[in-house]
Amino acid sequence: RVPAGEFMMGALEDDEDAYDDEKPRHKVILTQDFLIGKYAVTQALWKVVMGSNPSDFKGANRPVECVSWFDVVDFCNKLSKREGLEPAYSINGGDVTCNWNAKGYRLPTEAEWEYSARGGEYHTYAGSDNVDEVAWYNNNSGYETHPVGQKKPNGFGLYDMSGNVDEWVWDWFGDYSGQKGTDLVGPDSGPYRVYRGGGWFSGAGYARVSSRDNYGPTYLGSSIGFRLSRLTP
């Protein structure tokens, strides 16, 4: 459970590694408590729900990867139905809309993800200014994923929000406006969905909390997984 609150979203003011798309810093207000996964979704959970395991780096407690954004929203709805929850997504081919009032599983928004990754702190990485304490990245991963939860958690008790695998979020990719925002859900449309967090193959700079990148929603690869979010019961 992550409490409602406000934070400054975007690159820290003294971050010399920040890219332009991480700026300007801007205040974001999240008006509702929400639930977010302590870990990225594992291969074991994916297999229970979907009946298969697409991952390159096999291991029940490793994060699932090789899943597209479309695969992930389908998974969210199927898990919601298994648990008797109202699905968050309406899926009509490539057109996906979200019912933000539904209690079913969904991806976090980009703002929810960064707020959660910061954990009430303003470290460079999710839970530390020392990347090796919290992240599997190219200098320590052995160029593969690792079972979830082996590194230090952040201030909210969340693991691997820096490193291991990048994580899909809801939002279409777009530039920050610098304006104060409330319960932001990103642009209305676009060609690319945002992913966050850095992964096993990328440098420490990509594991910074403010780092952001994007792929088309059909992309899948061994670098990207996700974690679940939903409204509180």
Side-chain angles (χ1 to χ4, degrees), residues 7 30 35 45 47 49 96 110 112 121 129 152 157-158 162-163 165 169 174 179 181 185 187 190 192 195 210 223:
F7 77 113
L30 298 175
L35 303 178
L45 179 57
K47 189 171 183 179
V49 175
V96 180
E110 187 175 15
E112 288 171 339
E121 306 161 327
D129 290 321
K152 175 187 169 185
L158 307 175
S162 289
V165 289
V169 297
Q179 300 298 309
V185 296
Y192 305 112
Y195 64 88
S210 61
S223 60

Side-chain angles (χ1 to χ4, degrees), residues 132-191:
D132 288 290
E133 286 187 341
V134 294
W136 296 110
Y137 67 112
N138 64 358
N139 280 0
N140 66 12
S141 69
Y143 284 89
E144 61 180 343
T145 62
H146 290 260
V148 299
Q150 294 189 332
K151 294 284 188 177
K152 175 187 169 185
N154 76 354
F156 286 155
L158 307 175
Y159 292 83
D160 304 312
M161 295 200 80
S162 289
N164 213 6
V165 289
D166 285 295
E167 299 179 8
W168 288 114
V169 297
W170 162 258
D171 301 39
W172 293 107
F173 180 77
D175 290 334
Y176 291 155
S177 71
Q179 300 298 309
K180 182 175 77 172
T182 300
D183 297 327
L184 297 177
V185 296
D188 293 332
S189 62

